[in-house]
């Protein structure tokens, strides 16, 4: 298989050495000063280094092309600033707007202004005139307006992320002209209209995340032609029509989320026998039987068909699945027995999981009343929260909390409250705290109170006395304090999501007793101390997301013992020591993110020779050679080894890789020529579609 050779001087530039540049043009200096004057950041002193006439030398977040001395990147991330300056969790700590003066930086290749929460205004229309732009990341602000109609002019763009903002209007049809786009993330905005019918022209796309908007119309059939698409999230919109059957024949699609839409018709049989491992079709209007098309290759970490109009029995072929972690078929019209024979021991939790959601999931209207003690507990819970524009609590009237109370689900047999589900989002606000009275609901199996941004206080410590809890999701609030020390008592827990809060302290050692835990998400908090050494006891864990905290110490060797772990994110911490070589021998690990830590030593051979498709080891203290471990099975959607102390030449075996979409080796001590793999001969795209960053080497 042939390779395309790039030298560091001819490689497409993503980043640049700023220290090697003596000055920047006066026009760009003036543009940066105007950009700064439109923003206000009173706390951390982000702009204190923006002094003098040389914007290419030690200006925080500014990088320049060392040859042309032109500004090539603006990177102002709230996350790394938190880590560096130890000023964590100050919401809205940068305000203002993005000045159109940024468009005078005509050689910009990257604009990253993320997670400041207070930056508002519109995306400057002139941004589409920056022909060298490859990355636009404006995630986590309060940007409004619409996406530029002529965004299709940005032919070099590989990443577009504007999630968690207030962007409205339609997705511009011109976006389908950006044929090199690999990652699009527009989640949690107010985007309306339909998905462009020609979205399938984006043949390099690996992730399309459009959830949490007001998008309507059908799912375009052209999406099924995107060969490299791994993650498709269209959930929480107003999509209608049937699910395209061809989605189940996509070569590398592993996550498909279509929940909370208005989709109709039947579940395509192709989805159940595909390579998809995370499939969520819940909260739609799907009907008919569940297809009897499971097989030995079916491997689901999550399978959710709840809240539809499905009928018939649960297909017997589900017993042949190699693994099913979490399954929910509740709130349908299913009948008959639950299959009780499974070919894989790892699926032993399926019977318990399905049995519980089937009992819990019958409609609350079938329940005559709830116990007075539980009604009183819910009234106390409501009293501790303040919803200024009552929407969710408007239905909490009368004494029958099991009948048409928004977010409340009851067990139809015992008439006890089994689930609380209150999901916030853009434009919704609830303040207050979680009352300990919730612990009087002793039959609770699920607590989901997410994305309200204003709920604060501690997690009630009595929550560990609720023995039936399977799901705790409190993400996206302002909850502080510590994780309850005895959380290990919740032995039925499958999901623990506390991401995007202000939680501090250590991860309790008892957490390793949660033997049924499948998803652990503690991202974006202030958690410190080491990762529990026995984390590997969580044998059913599929996702472990601990990024953007203050954790220290080594990566526990025991993590490698978690057979079903597919996604491990330990980035933006202060971890030290070496990378365990056994991580590369994990059978289903697909994404490993260790960036922004203090890791040292060499890159293990096994890690580069593994089945991972997303690997980020950037911004550590790694040294030595890049292992010559690539081969025909190497398939990297993203490979980032930048900002380390790696030396030597780029290994020749890189040319043997089946596919490398995004490659960043910049800011190391590498020398010689670069060998970049051509895609497989079955691919139609030319080798030039590999995005390479190699600057800052020799």
């Amino acid at each position: 298989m042939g390779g395309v050779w790039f030298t560091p001087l001819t490689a497409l530039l993503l980043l640049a050495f700023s220290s090697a540049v003596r000055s920047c043009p006066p026009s760009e200096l003036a543009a940066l000063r105007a950009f700064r004057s439109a923003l206000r950041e009173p706390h951390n002193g982000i702009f204190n280094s923006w002094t003098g006439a040389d914007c290419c030398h030690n200006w925080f977040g500014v990088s320049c092309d060392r040859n042309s001395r032109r500004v090539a990147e603006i990177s102002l991330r709230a996350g790394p600033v938190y880590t560096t300056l130890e000023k964590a969790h100050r919401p809205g700590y940068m305000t203002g707007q993005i000045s159109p003066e940024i468009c005078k930086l005509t050689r910009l290749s990257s604009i990253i202004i993320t997670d400041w929460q207070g930056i508002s205004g519109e995306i400057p229309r002139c941004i589409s005139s920056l022909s060298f732009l490859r990355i636009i990341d404006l995630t986590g602000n309060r940007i409004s307006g619409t996406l530029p109609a002529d965004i299709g002019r940005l032919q070099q763009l590989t990443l577009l992320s504007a999630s968690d903002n207030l962007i409205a209007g339609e997705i511009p049809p011109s976006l389908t002209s950006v044929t090199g786009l690999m990652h699009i993330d527009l989640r949690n905005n107010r985007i309306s209209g339909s998905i462009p019918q020609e979205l399938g022209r984006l043949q390099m796309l690996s992730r399309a995340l459009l959830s949490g908007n007001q998008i309507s119309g059908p799912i375009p059939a052209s999406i099924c032609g995107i060969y490299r698409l791994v993650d498709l999230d269209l959930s929480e919109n107003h999509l209608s029509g049937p699910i395209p059957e061809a989605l189940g024949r996509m070569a590398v699609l592993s996550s498909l989320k279509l929940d909370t839409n208005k989709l109709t018709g039947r579940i395509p049989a192709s989805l159940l026998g595909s390579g998809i491992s995370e499939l969520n079709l819940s909260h739609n209007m799907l009907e008919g039987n569940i297809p009897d098309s499971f097989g030995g290759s079916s491997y689901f970490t999550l399978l959710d068909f709840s809240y539809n109009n499905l009928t018939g029995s649960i297909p017997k072929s589900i017993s042949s699945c190699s693994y099913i972690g979490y399954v929910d078929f509740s709130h349908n019209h299913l009948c008959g027995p639950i299959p009780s024979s499974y070919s894989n021991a790892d699926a032993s939790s399926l019977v318990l999981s399905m049995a519980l959601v089937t009992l819990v999931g019958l409609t609350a209207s079938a329940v005559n009343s709830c116990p007075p003690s539980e009604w009183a507990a819910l009234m106390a819970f409501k009293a501790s929260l303040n919803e200024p524009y009552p929407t969710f609590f408007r239905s909490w009237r009368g004494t029958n909390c099991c009948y048409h109370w928004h977010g409340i689900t009851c067990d139809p047999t015992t008439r006890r409250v089994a689930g609380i589900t209150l999901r916030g989002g853009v434009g919704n606000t609830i303040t207050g705290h979680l009352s300990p009275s919730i612990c009087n609901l002793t039959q609770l199996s699920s607590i989901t109170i997410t994305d309200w941004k204003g709920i604060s206080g501690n997690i009630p410590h009595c929550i560990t006395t609720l023995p039936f809890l399977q799901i705790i999701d409190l993400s996206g609030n302002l909850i502080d304090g510590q994780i309850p020390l005895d959380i290990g008592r919740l032995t039925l827990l499958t999901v623990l999501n506390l991401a995007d809060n202000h939680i501090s302290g250590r991860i309790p050692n008892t957490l390793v007793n949660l033997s049924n835990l499948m998803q652990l998400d503690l991202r974006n908090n202030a958690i410190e101390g080491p990762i529990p050494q026995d984390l590997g006891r969580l044998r059913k864990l599929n996702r472990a997301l601990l990024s953007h905290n203050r954790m220290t110490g080594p990566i526990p060797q025991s993590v490698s013992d978690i057979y079903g772990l597919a996604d491990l994110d330990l980035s933006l911490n202060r971890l030290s020591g070496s990378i365990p070589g056994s991580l590369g021998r994990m059978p289903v690990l697909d994404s490993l993110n260790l960036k922004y830590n203090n890791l040292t030593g060499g890159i293990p051979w096994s890690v580069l020779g593994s089945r991972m498709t997303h690997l980020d080891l950037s911004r550590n203290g790694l040294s030595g050679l890049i292992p010559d471990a690539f081969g025909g099975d190497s398939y990297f959607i993203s490979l980032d080894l930048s900002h380390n102390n790696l030396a030597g030449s780029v290994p020749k075996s890189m040319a043997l890789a089946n596919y490398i979409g995004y490659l960043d080796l910049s800011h190391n001590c590498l020398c010689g020529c670069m060998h970049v793999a051509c895609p497989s001969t079955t691919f139609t795209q030319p080798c030039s579609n590999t995005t390479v960053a190699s600057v800052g080497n020799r």
Side-chain angles (χ1 to χ4, degrees):
M1 184 181 298
V4 175
W5 291 61
F6 291 94
T7 68
L9 292 179
T10 59
L12 298 174
L13 297 180
L14 178 65
L15 300 170
F17 259 167
S18 58
S19 59
V21 180
R22 294 190 300 275
S23 64
C24 63
S27 60
E28 302 208 343
L29 176 65
L32 284 172
R33 286 174 173 169
F35 169 79
R36 172 186 174 180
S37 67
L39 297 169
R40 291 174 295 280
E41 192 283 302
H43 299 296
N44 291 327
I46 303 303
F47 295 122
N48 287 352
S49 63
W50 287 36
T51 59
D54 185 4
C55 59
C56 291
H57 183 62
N58 288 342
W59 278 37
F60 183 88
V62 176
S63 298
C64 296
D65 185 304
R66 61 179 177 179
N67 295 316
S68 68
R69 303 178 183 180
R70 304 285 295 277
V71 176
E73 177 181 299
I74 295 177
S75 181
L76 299 175
R77 300 178 189 264
V81 171
Y82 279 153
T83 304
T84 303
L85 302 177
E86 302 186 15
K87 298 277 187 177
H89 312 300
R90 184 177 277 119
Y93 59 95
M94 186 184 286
T95 58
Q97 59 185 358
I98 300 173
S99 171
E101 293 293 307
I102 200 173
C103 302
K104 294 181 179 178
L105 306 173
T106 57
R107 305 295 289 191
L108 268 181
S109 66
S110 180
I111 300 174
I112 301 172
I113 306 170
T114 62
D115 296 320
W116 293 104
Q117 302 179 33
I119 296 177
S120 57
E122 298 189 2
I123 300 172
R125 304 290 107 180
C126 58
I127 204 171
S128 57
S129 67
L130 299 175
S131 57
F132 292 93
L133 264 185
R134 308 178 68 181
I135 293 176
I136 299 177
D137 190 350
L138 304 177
T139 301
N141 293 292
R142 294 188 62 80
I143 295 171
S144 56
T146 61
L147 295 172
D150 57 348
I151 197 170
R153 296 171 60 190
L154 299 177
Q155 289 297 298
Q156 301 292 327
L157 201 65
T158 61
L159 184 149
L160 174 62
S161 181
S163 62
D164 300 310
N165 279 287
L166 304 175
I167 295 171
E170 299 190 0
I171 299 174
S174 70
L175 185 70
T176 64
S177 300
V178 187
T179 54
L181 197 63
M182 300 177 185
H183 182 119
I184 179 171
D185 188 352
L186 302 177
R187 289 175 293 181
N188 302 324
N189 280 285
R190 297 174 177 176
I191 296 170
S192 58
S194 59
I195 300 172
Q197 287 298 309
E198 296 184 354
L199 197 72
R201 293 175 58 190
L202 304 180
Q203 289 290 297
M204 300 300 294
L205 203 62
S206 65
R207 303 188 78 195
L209 311 176
L210 307 179
S211 63
N213 284 287
Q214 300 164 20
I215 301 171
S216 57
I219 300 172
S222 68
I223 289 179
C224 307
I226 305 177
Y227 182 89
R228 296 171 177 83
L229 194 62
V230 173
D231 190 350
L232 178 60
D233 187 354
L234 307 179
S235 62
E236 297 182 55
N237 280 291
H238 305 309
L239 297 173
S240 58
I243 299 172
E245 193 269 340
L247 286 174
R249 296 194 295 271
M250 297 180 69
V252 295
L253 187 65
S254 66
S255 178
L256 178 61
K257 299 176 183 177
L258 304 178
D259 53 285
T260 319
N261 279 289
K262 299 176 181 179
L263 299 172
T264 56
R266 295 173 173 266
I267 297 174
S270 60
L271 294 181
L272 304 186
S274 66
I276 298 172
S277 61
E278 188 173 5
L279 179 60
N280 193 341
L281 308 181
S282 65
H283 292 85
N284 279 287
M285 295 182 285
L286 302 173
E287 57 189 9
N289 296 340
I290 299 175
D292 195 13
S293 57
F294 296 93
S297 61
S298 301
Y299 185 105
F300 291 102
T301 59
L302 182 146
L303 182 64
D304 194 344
F305 296 162
S306 63
Y307 291 89
N308 280 287
N309 298 314
L310 301 174
T311 56
S313 60
I314 298 171
K316 293 182 179 180
S317 64
I318 199 170
S319 302
S320 63
C321 292
S322 63
Y323 178 78
I324 299 184
Y326 175 86
V327 60
D328 191 348
F329 293 162
S330 67
H331 294 85
N332 282 287
H333 306 289
L334 301 174
C335 59
I338 298 171
S340 57
S341 174
Y342 298 93
S343 59
N344 190 302
D346 285 338
S348 59
S349 66
L350 178 60
V351 177
L352 174 63
S353 171
M354 197 185 301
L356 284 171
V357 298
T358 301
L359 288 175
V360 170
L362 297 178
T363 58
S365 59
V367 182
N368 294 325
S369 63
C370 63
S373 61
E374 301 212 342
W375 175 87
L378 286 173
M379 287 293 97
F381 171 78
K382 174 185 174 182
S384 69
L385 299 172
N386 176 36
E387 187 184 14
Y389 307 103
T391 300
F392 291 91
F393 292 134
R394 185 179 299 163
S395 63
W396 287 34
R397 293 180 291 191
T399 59
N400 186 3
C401 56
C402 292
Y403 184 67
H404 288 171
W405 279 34
H406 181 93
I408 300 300
T409 307
C410 293
D411 186 307
T413 303
T414 64
R415 303 178 182 179
R416 305 287 292 277
V417 176
I420 298 178
T421 301
L422 298 173
R423 301 181 189 271
V426 177
N428 295 322
T429 302
I430 287 182
T431 57
H433 66 278
L434 301 179
S435 170
S437 66
I438 199 173
C439 302
N440 293 330
L441 306 172
T442 57
Q443 297 292 308
L444 269 180
S445 66
S446 176
I447 300 174
T448 302
I449 305 170
T450 64
D451 296 320
W452 291 107
K453 312 299 183 187
I455 297 178
S456 56
N458 294 347
I459 300 171
H461 285 266
C462 59
I463 205 171
T464 60
T465 65
L466 299 175
F468 297 101
L469 268 184
Q470 289 188 312
I471 296 174
I472 299 177
D473 188 349
L474 304 176
S475 58
N477 292 294
L478 298 174
I479 295 171
D480 52 24
Q482 300 183 13
I483 301 172
L485 293 178
D486 56 348
I487 196 167
R489 296 171 63 185
L490 301 175
T491 55
L492 295 183
L493 204 65
T494 61
V495 175
L496 177 60
N497 188 348
L498 305 176
D500 301 310
N501 280 289
H502 296 175
I503 293 170
S504 56
R506 298 187 172 209
I507 298 176
N509 288 327
T510 63
L511 185 130
V512 303
N513 295 328
L514 303 177
S515 56
N516 287 303
L517 197 64
M518 299 174 190
Q519 295 189 42
L520 175 64
D521 192 346
L522 304 178
R523 289 176 292 182
N524 301 322
N525 281 289
I527 298 170
E528 57 190 11
I531 301 171
Q533 285 300 307
D534 291 334
L535 196 72
R537 290 173 57 186
L538 303 178
R539 295 302 178 91
K540 295 181 181 178
L541 202 61
N542 174 254
R543 303 184 76 196
L545 310 177
L546 309 180
S547 65
H548 197 174
N549 282 287
R550 304 173 183 175
M551 288 184 284
T552 55
I555 300 172
Q557 187 77 28
S558 68
V559 171
S560 308
D561 297 332
I562 307 175
Y563 178 90
L565 192 63
D567 190 351
L568 178 61
D569 188 352
L570 307 178
S571 63
L572 287 156
N573 279 290
R574 301 168 187 172
L575 300 174
S576 56
S578 59
I579 300 173
S582 53
L583 290 177
R585 295 188 287 274
M586 298 179 68
V588 297
L589 187 63
D590 180 72
S591 178
L592 176 62
N593 192 345
L594 303 178
K595 70 181 178 183
Y596 278 101
N597 278 290
N598 300 318
L599 299 171
T600 55
I603 298 175
W605 180 288
S606 58
V607 169
L608 286 185
S610 68
R611 66 175 298 279
M612 298 178 203
T613 63
H614 294 82
L615 177 61
D616 194 341
L617 308 180
S618 64
R619 296 182 183 271
N620 280 285
L622 302 173
S623 57
L625 305 177
I626 299 176
D628 198 11
F630 297 89
D633 294 332
S634 300
Y635 189 104
F636 288 102
I637 294 169
S638 174
L639 176 61
D640 193 343
L641 309 180
S642 66
H643 292 270
N644 280 289
N645 299 314
L646 301 173
S649 59
V650 178
K652 293 182 178 181
S653 65
M654 188 175 287
L656 302 175
N658 185 304
Y659 175 72
I660 301 180
Y662 173 88
L663 173 64
D664 192 347
L665 306 178
S666 67
H667 297 86
N668 281 290
C669 303
L670 302 172
C671 59
C673 294
M674 183 177 295
H675 317 270
V676 180
C678 281
S680 165
T681 54
T682 61
F683 295 175
T684 60
Q685 297 297 325
C687 301
S688 59
N689 279 315
T690 297
T691 302
V692 184
S694 63
V695 293
N697 290 295
R698 295 196 294 272

